Amino acid sequence: IAEKAGVSVTHIMRNFESKEGLFQKSIDQQFKLWDMMSAERPMLGEFLSKYVTAPLQNEDQLLHVLLFIKGSLHKDSRANIREKFESQFLQPYAQWLGGEASSARSSVITSFLFGITFFNYICESESFKAEKDLKEIQKIVAPIIQKLIDGNS
């Protein structure tokens, strides 16, 4: 990590004290809920479907996904991820959604989006590479997400 960042290991340890401290700081930077909520509510399903199916802009996007996967292998890290994710993402999102079953809807939307993100970035599905297929995926995904956002049964 230090080598990739172009700093000494001592610098990393002085600023983060441990690998766990570095991991914790990284988690704190990951949950950017409002970046994903920048569209108007009636168009949010379409916006989110494009957000999670977009091609990688840079390797940092992939590193964030991989960091969560690797971090989940350790019990303490898993607890930290869960606590941060619930307090900084799921709960505010559920509150923003409002209405009946907002917590459950928040969890389903999030699980759905993470699944698509994983399939797109980690599995590198061919469906996400062909423009025609990508448009079809977005057309299918957008109304499903929008229905969950709106709270329609």
Side-chain angles (χ1 to χ4, degrees), residues 52-71:
V52 297
T53 59
L56 280 174
Q57 298 300 313
N58 60 57
E59 288 297 311
D60 286 347
Q61 288 175 284
L62 182 58
L63 291 175
H64 297 311
V65 174
L66 293 174
L67 177 66
F68 287 119
I69 294 168
K70 180 143 174 69

Side-chain angles (χ1 to χ4, degrees), residues 9 15 51 60 87 128:
V9 173
N15 287 291
Y51 187 91
D60 286 347
S87 68
F128 290 91

